Amino acid sequence: MQSDAPTPSVSDAPSGNWVDRLAPPAWRPWLRLSRADRPIGTWLLLLPCWWGTGLAMIADRPRWVDLWVALACALGAVAMRGAGCTWNDLTDRDYDAMVARTRSRPLPSGQVTVRGAWLWLAAQTALGAVLLLTLGGTAIVLGIASLALVAIYPFAKRFTWWPQVFLGLAFNWGVLLAFAAHGGTLHPAAVLAYAAGIAWTLFYDTIYAHQDTEDDALIGVKSTARLFGTDTPRWLLGFAAAAVVLLATAVAAARPSPVEALIAMAGVAGFAAHLWWQLGQLDTGSPATCLRLFRSNRDAGLIVALFLAVAGLM
């Protein structure tokens, strides 16, 4: 970091976010590096974890440990999303400097040094590791395995038109981890929900990527948004349908009671309705609309998490 003076906010951060308003000036570049001023990514990392917890309660039974799993996942999502964003910005700092939306981020703008970013990455990863160690052997193994996906993701847009698949593989791993933390085993329901989450990620991150298609084309960065172009709505409909069908199948695979099934499937229906609403609002030529719809996926995923939790507690 170059100085302790107040620094400009990142261009795509929500106006009046808590980092800009409340955080001490010296902390702001570090919090921005972790995207604390844009909490949607933390939600999108956390919600699949809560899906896994809810499904585990349906497939087995509620346990007191589920309270800690839910809280540990929330804390871990903050730490590991921050670590992932720091890693992403370290690998992408030269690209970010060439894109209008990202050149104000802490590394390309000079608010944080490369050495400082590496130290910040280590501190956040260490916090995530401490939390992981409380979740049992199977979850620990799964958590360690996820690091490979996190490490690869920033490079995916350089060698494939489908980097959103790699994001989906990494961001939805929490379904498997949280399910395993409940009872030490995995289950077909968790695997199906993981696949549903990947389809959902393809849906929302393709919308997000449409903000940068012109800059990405100039610097040679690949994305599903560039790949699909004007055909994006048809692809998004397919991803949404896949996410809903896989999620419904995951609920059925958990063998819920009739009451549990009714509640859980109502959550899936609410999720489907939200994705359908997003498709109706979509305008890939409007970056502001794409960002608004992308952020709205917190609510889509939260609908599923809440209904699964209620079903699991029945």
Side-chain angles (χ1 to χ4, degrees):
M1 189 170 61
Q2 302 305 311
S3 76
D4 289 342
T7 51
S9 62
V10 177
S11 64
D12 60 350
S15 177
N17 66 80
W18 77 271
V19 172
D20 291 349
R21 290 186 297 106
L22 302 176
W27 295 10
R28 291 175 190 170
W30 307 99
L31 293 170
R32 290 168 183 153
L33 188 60
S34 297
R35 310 282 203 278
D37 54 347
R38 284 156 287 167
I40 178 59
T42 302
W43 278 108
L44 295 175
L45 186 62
L46 169 60
L47 289 168
C49 300
W50 285 354
W51 293 5
T53 304
L55 283 170
M57 292 193 297
I58 293 171
D60 180 23
R61 66 185 189 282
R63 302 184 182 194
W64 284 110
V65 72
D66 296 327
L67 293 173
W68 171 245
V69 172
L71 177 58
C73 285
L75 297 172
V78 173
M80 294 312 296
R81 192 261 181 147
C85 289
T86 304
W87 168 242
N88 186 81
D89 283 10
L90 279 164
T91 60
D92 280 359
R93 59 188 184 274
D94 294 332
Y95 285 105
D96 286 346
M98 295 185 283
V99 175
R101 185 177 61 83
T102 58
R103 64 170 58 107
S104 58
R105 288 178 177 175
L107 273 168
S109 66
Q111 298 175 39
V112 169
T113 65
V114 172
R115 180 176 179 274
W118 278 110
L119 293 173
W120 186 234
L121 171 62
Q124 293 170 102
T125 304
L127 175 57
V130 170
L131 292 165
L132 180 63
L133 290 174
T134 69
L135 298 180
T138 305
I140 291 170
V141 171
L142 287 168
I144 293 171
S146 72
L147 295 177
L149 296 171
V150 174
I152 292 170
Y153 167 66
F155 302 100
K157 58 183 170 286
R158 307 180 192 186
F159 64 80
T160 178
W161 287 100
W162 294 83
Q164 281 70 25
V165 171
F166 288 85
L167 181 66
L169 290 168
F171 252 55
N172 295 282
W173 197 259
V175 171
L176 307 177
L177 192 151
F179 196 105
H182 167 89
T185 61
L186 280 178
H187 189 281
V191 177
L192 287 163
Y194 179 54
I198 294 170
W200 179 40
T201 303
L202 279 161
F203 177 90
Y204 66 65
D205 205 59
T206 297
I207 294 174
Y208 182 80
H210 266 284
Q211 297 176 91
D212 299 324
T213 50
E214 292 184 5
D215 285 333
D216 286 349
L218 288 173
I219 62 179
V221 168
K222 299 177 174 68
S223 72
T224 49
R226 288 188 60 206
L227 178 65
F228 302 154
T230 57
D231 206 25
T232 289
R234 183 174 67 86
W235 282 93
L236 293 182
L237 179 60
F239 296 144
V244 171
V245 170
L246 286 165
L247 200 52
T249 308
V251 170
R255 297 182 179 274
S257 70
V259 173
E260 291 172 337
L262 181 63
I263 296 171
M265 289 300 185
V268 176
F271 177 73
H274 198 288
L275 299 190
W276 182 255
W277 170 80
Q278 290 185 57
L279 287 169
Q281 297 288 309
L282 182 66
D283 177 3
T284 57
S286 168
T289 299
C290 289
L291 183 59
R292 176 174 60 85
L293 292 178
F294 168 73
R295 288 174 178 162
S296 77
N297 279 278
R298 180 204 64 176
D299 299 336
L302 198 56
I303 291 169
V304 177
L306 290 173
F307 277 79
L308 288 179
V310 172
L313 292 169
M314 295 302 292

